[in-house]
């Protein structure tokens, strides 16, 4: 299939996924602040973003991104603005994030959690550049221009990511269940979550 040292790749991918970063913070934020269901949808959204970066790497867009300061900057600042805006909305929300919602509200929230995870990952150009540097090390030289190995490696990376983030979600949501009975705690968690989002956005905006 054009892939070399698959086992080494999987171990390396697991290491990178487990290393705390923007995606880890985002999933934990959702899991603790809004419970297990939000964490699950955020996990799926983040890893759908991974597949998006995989597709772009496979067709060569990541190469363009790595060579264009303008394209890199546009995506970087778009992602930063989105996170800062999401954080602002959380900061001004006076309703506890752990409060009970109607089924309709929960459905809307789940969709928002998915798309937030997707946008957060997709608008992080460093992920695209990471894949561009990481994937070719495990592609057979004769298949370096073939998109199939990149797609398979990206899919494998996403599966590993889903498993790991679901484990984090399980433990983090158990913590949120213990404090669900205190509405004031939910409000403060929401505000802390908002602050984390803003800091994440600023980190992206100020990064080189």
């Amino acid at each position: 299939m054009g892939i070399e040292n698959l086992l080494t790749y999987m171990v390396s991918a697991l290491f990178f996924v487990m290393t705390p970063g923007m995606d880890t913070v985002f999933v934990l934020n959702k899991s603790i602040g809004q419970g297990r269901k939000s964490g699950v949808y955020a996990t799926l959204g983040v890893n759908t973003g991974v597949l998006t970066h995989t597709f772009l790497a496979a067709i060569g867009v990541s190469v363009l991104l790595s060579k264009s300061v303008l394209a890199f900057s546009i995506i970087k600042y778009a992602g930063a603005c989105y996170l800062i805006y999401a954080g602002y909305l959380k900061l001004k929300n006076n309703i506890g994030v752990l409060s009970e919602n109607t089924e309709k509200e929960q459905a809307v929230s789940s969709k928002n959690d998915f798309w937030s995870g997707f946008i957060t990952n997709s608008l992080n150009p460093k992920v695209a550049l990471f894949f561009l540097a990481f994937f070719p090390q495990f592609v057979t030289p004769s298949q370096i221009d073939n998109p199939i190995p990149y797609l398979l490696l990206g899919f494998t990376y996403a599966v590993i990511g889903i498993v790991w983030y679901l484990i984090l979600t399980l433990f983090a949501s158990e913590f949120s269940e213990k404090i669900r009975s205190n509405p004031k705690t939910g409000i403060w968690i929401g505000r802390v979550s908002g602050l984390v989002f803003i800091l994440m956005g600023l980190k992206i905006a100020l990064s080189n």
Side-chain angles (χ1 to χ4, degrees):
M1 301 299 290
I3 298 175
E4 295 182 341
N5 303 315
L6 180 59
L7 181 59
T8 302
Y9 168 79
M10 294 176 69
V11 173
S12 300
L14 178 61
F15 173 78
F16 285 121
V17 168
M18 293 176 64
T19 302
M22 292 290 181
D23 292 339
T24 301
V25 173
F26 182 84
V27 172
L28 285 175
N29 197 319
K30 288 290 185 180
S31 301
I32 295 174
Q34 296 172 238
R36 184 180 304 171
K37 189 173 183 180
S38 290
V40 170
Y41 276 90
T43 293
L44 296 176
V46 164
N47 286 284
T48 302
V50 167
L51 294 178
T52 299
H53 284 295
T54 299
F55 176 74
L56 295 178
I59 63 176
V61 174
S62 293
V63 177
L64 173 64
L65 184 64
S66 67
K67 295 181 179 180
S68 173
V69 175
L70 178 61
F72 182 91
S73 297
I74 289 174
I75 294 177
K76 180 179 75 170
Y77 289 120
C81 289
Y82 173 78
L83 286 173
I84 292 172
Y85 177 69
Y88 166 74
L89 292 180
K90 283 182 172 289
L91 283 178
K92 77 170 191 173
N93 185 8
N94 291 320
I95 300 176
V97 294
L98 300 177
S99 59
E100 296 295 334
N101 296 322
T102 64
E103 290 185 6
K104 184 177 181 180
E105 289 172 334
Q106 289 175 353
V108 172
S109 176
S110 296
K111 291 180 181 179
N112 290 339
D113 293 332
F114 174 86
W115 287 113
S116 293
F118 173 75
I119 293 172
T120 299
N121 185 278
S122 297
L123 292 182
N124 187 350
K126 289 188 175 182
V127 178
L129 299 185
F130 168 72
F131 283 174
L132 187 63
F134 184 50
F135 286 176
Q137 300 179 50
F138 300 94
V139 177
T140 304
S142 62
Q143 299 293 319
I144 201 70
D145 294 325
N146 183 357
I148 300 301
Y150 293 91
L151 295 175
L152 292 175
L153 291 173
F155 179 79
T156 302
Y157 192 98
V159 171
I160 293 172
I162 288 174
V163 172
W164 173 246
Y165 289 134
L166 287 180
I167 292 173
L168 290 183
T169 295
L170 178 62
F171 285 101
S173 60
E174 287 296 324
F175 171 75
S176 72
E177 289 291 338
K178 294 179 180 180
I179 59 176
R180 185 179 294 276
S181 58
N182 190 336
K184 290 185 178 180
T185 302
I187 292 174
W188 280 107
I189 287 179
R191 290 174 178 172
V192 171
S193 297
L195 182 61
V196 170
F197 272 50
I198 291 173
L199 292 175
M200 287 168 60
L202 291 176
K203 181 178 180 180
I204 290 177
L206 298 176
S207 64
N208 294 323

